[in-house]
Amino acid sequence: MPGTELFGAEERKEIDDVVSTGILFRYGHDAQRNNHWKAKDFEAEVKKITGAKFAHAMSSGSTAIATAMAASGIGTGDEVIVPPFTFMATIEAVLFVGALPVFAEIDETLCLSAEGIKKAITPKTKGVCLVHMCGGMADMDPIMKVINDHKLILVEDAGQAFAASYKGTYTGLFGKAGSYSFDFFKIATAGEGGVLVTNDEETYKKADVYSDHGHDHIGNNRGMENHPYLGFNYRISELHAAVGVAQTRKVPGIKEKNRTNKQFLTSELSKTEGIGFARIADPAGDSATFLNLLMPDTETAKRTVAELNAAGVGGFNYWFTNMYHFINQWDHIKEMRTVSKLPVEVLGAPQDYKNLDLPKTQDVVGRLISFGVRCTWTEAEMKDLASKISACAVKAMKPVNA
Ligand SMILES: *Cc1c(COP(=O)(O)O)cnc(C)c1O
């Protein structure tokens, strides 16, 4: 959680600006706000890092990805290809815009593969919600070929991949729209917050309107604005945006430290036979928030996890069994337990979510152990961690009868 490691005076200064005027709302109140526009500043900082033409700060990464889909034209009855390894928000967003999730295979990049997407396409497929997992990025060249060949709408959930890029293009900017999360667990935090990015002006305008009850934000008399589309309240507050501004300014420095630290740990752990690593589609673009180990098989990974727990080594996720990021734990979607009826229940799910056949994904996530990279680690701490991980892995890999 690098953002939270570096929380201090800069965040306080931005918050104080807002508190000094009491204008907690991002729109209007021009005379009272003493020229403090934190949501706009937050958007400007995100644009500076990513090169996005348009950025729109919102209440969360979840509302940002839902808005990205809606503004891209994905709605009721559209099939959207999604990964079974992601934070649940991706799937919720598809369902809540009325669309129908279709799960496809990931590969060793931890993201949907071009091949997986291709196999999941049906005549009803409208788009793909690609998720860039664990600070890295999907393998975009082959994926873009499939997207373009089949004329699909691409939306990117880059909730975990702010400041990551592939061959010079930042995540979130390959398709119609993308989103970043600034919740408490990401490379930078706003407390709660998200930012939608796009290079398409029309999509940006729709997102702007959709995320604020349809207001077009033209002029400064809110009561008299036009409402080109229906929308809802997905706004960010100025207090949250203030934190987001200060944190986003720290991201280039955080990323550099993360990368150095990840490289150090990678080279230490490479010395241990049997420890492998997730494939980084473009190593030069890694935001390096996670060090992703791929063990030889699921059983070895489980034994390694048990050894790590026994040795008191924390700071890692074994998504296969423990976390809220993998389909095996999503009983509520498998059983389709909803508090009120969703379009997918009326239209029928395109797949039997209880019996999905995704062997490649089961294999990759079964082997995966992800360590959160800290930007404040010392070399001594990293050496110690690497030797503990190695020792646990070596024990776990010993033949059972030896
Ligand atoms: C964190 C995350 C989200 C949700 O973001 P919130 O800001 O917590 O709503 C969405 N997608 C992915 C991939 C995430 O990791």
Side-chain angles (χ1 to χ4, degrees):
M1 295 193 281
T4 57
E5 292 174 66
L6 302 177
F7 192 91
E10 299 81 5
E11 287 75 10
R12 184 187 297 264
K13 194 249 160 221
E14 298 296 323
I15 294 167
D16 282 348
D17 285 347
V18 178
V19 173
S20 71
T21 68
I23 303 301
L24 311 181
F25 195 62
R26 69 165 296 176
Y27 298 111
H29 304 268
D30 299 29
Q32 299 99 312
R33 66 192 310 137
N34 199 18
N35 222 16
H36 295 310
W37 298 91
K38 299 306 177 187
K40 286 186 185 174
D41 293 347
F42 186 20
E43 289 157 358
E45 294 296 335
V46 169
K47 284 193 276 189
K48 207 189 286 175
I49 287 178
T50 60
K53 282 197 189 130
F54 304 97
H56 188 58
M58 300 177 53
S59 55
S60 70
S62 302
T63 55
I65 187 60
T67 301
M69 269 182 250
S72 301
I74 290 171
T76 299
D78 295 330
E79 283 186 7
V80 177
I81 295 170
V82 294
F85 177 50
T86 176
F87 182 59
M88 187 65 202
T90 315
I91 315 305
E92 292 164 337
V94 172
L95 292 169
F96 294 161
V97 299
L100 313 175
V102 174
F103 292 94
E105 292 271 44
I106 66 165
D107 65 11
E108 281 83 358
T109 61
L110 314 181
C111 307
L112 284 172
S113 64
E115 198 192 359
I117 293 170
K118 213 187 316 186
K119 278 194 188 142
I121 293 172
T122 78
K124 281 196 194 163
T125 307
K126 180 85 170 252
V128 176
C129 186
L130 187 65
V131 185
H132 301 285
M133 282 302 280
C134 299
M137 73 300 290
D139 198 355
M140 293 313 299
D141 282 347
I143 288 174
M144 289 315 293
K145 184 169 177 346
V146 177
I147 298 285
N148 293 329
D149 284 353
H150 295 266
K151 299 189 171 46
L152 302 176
I153 295 173
L154 174 64
V155 175
E156 294 165 79
D157 182 344
Q160 303 187 7
F162 175 52
S165 61
Y166 175 88
K167 298 188 182 175
T169 299
Y170 279 77
T171 60
L173 293 169
F174 286 86
K176 265 271 214 227
S179 64
Y180 310 121
S181 167
F182 290 79
D183 76 16
F184 194 60
F185 307 96
K186 301 299 179 2
I187 189 166
T189 183
E192 298 282 0
V195 174
L196 177 149
V197 287
T198 178
N199 285 329
D200 179 53
E201 186 167 12
E202 201 51 41
T203 304
Y204 164 69
K205 281 187 179 159
K206 284 180 182 164
D208 177 52
V209 164
Y210 182 82
S211 60
D212 183 25
H213 299 300
H215 287 286
D216 70 3
H217 305 128
I218 295 170
N220 56 8
N221 184 346
R222 194 163 166 86
M224 293 304 289
E225 281 172 30
N226 287 318
H227 303 103
Y229 306 104
L230 281 166
F232 204 46
N233 175 9
Y234 292 156
R235 292 186 307 263
I236 192 167
S237 83
E238 285 286 277
L239 278 174
H240 289 91
V243 179
V245 172
Q247 285 266 300
T248 304
R249 286 185 184 136
K250 295 178 180 178
V251 164
I254 290 172
K255 186 167 97 170
E256 207 180 297
K257 288 246 168 59
N258 277 359
R259 290 173 55 84
T260 307
N261 291 351
K262 182 169 172 173
Q263 258 158 28
F264 183 89
L265 282 173
T266 304
S267 75
E268 289 291 303
L269 291 172
S270 301
K271 297 172 194 161
T272 302
E273 206 183 321
I275 296 183
F277 303 90
R279 182 161 78 83
I280 305 169
D282 178 9
D286 189 11
S287 73
T289 49
F290 285 97
L291 172 69
N292 299 299
L293 307 184
L294 282 181
M295 304 309 290
D297 54 63
T298 299
E299 289 315 310
T300 308
K302 283 183 177 167
R303 284 200 300 273
T304 305
V305 167
E307 294 292 345
L308 289 166
N309 286 332
V313 180
F316 67 90
N317 298 315
Y318 185 54
W319 318 98
F320 190 66
T321 55
N322 293 340
M323 302 297 289
Y324 200 50
H325 290 71
F326 188 46
I327 192 146
N328 290 12
Q329 277 77 253
W330 296 340
D331 288 338
H332 52 351
I333 181 161
K334 287 192 263 186
E335 312 283 339
M336 202 44 79
R337 292 196 304 265
T338 55
V339 292
S340 66
K341 206 182 282 179
L342 291 176
V344 69
E345 296 174 272
V346 179
L347 300 170
Q351 289 171 313
D352 176 1
Y353 297 142
K354 260 189 251 185
N355 294 298
L356 294 167
D357 183 28
L358 300 164
K360 176 78 184 172
T361 301
Q362 294 292 339
D363 174 62
V364 170
V365 180
R367 291 159 53 207
L368 176 64
I369 304 173
S370 300
F371 282 82
V373 173
R374 295 182 68 88
C375 62
T376 50
W377 269 331
T378 63
E379 195 171 305
E381 285 172 326
M382 288 191 284
K383 278 202 164 136
D384 181 54
L385 178 62
S387 76
K388 282 178 177 156
I389 296 172
S390 285
C392 290
V394 166
K395 267 196 207 169
M397 282 185 284
K398 258 193 206 146
V400 180
N401 299 324

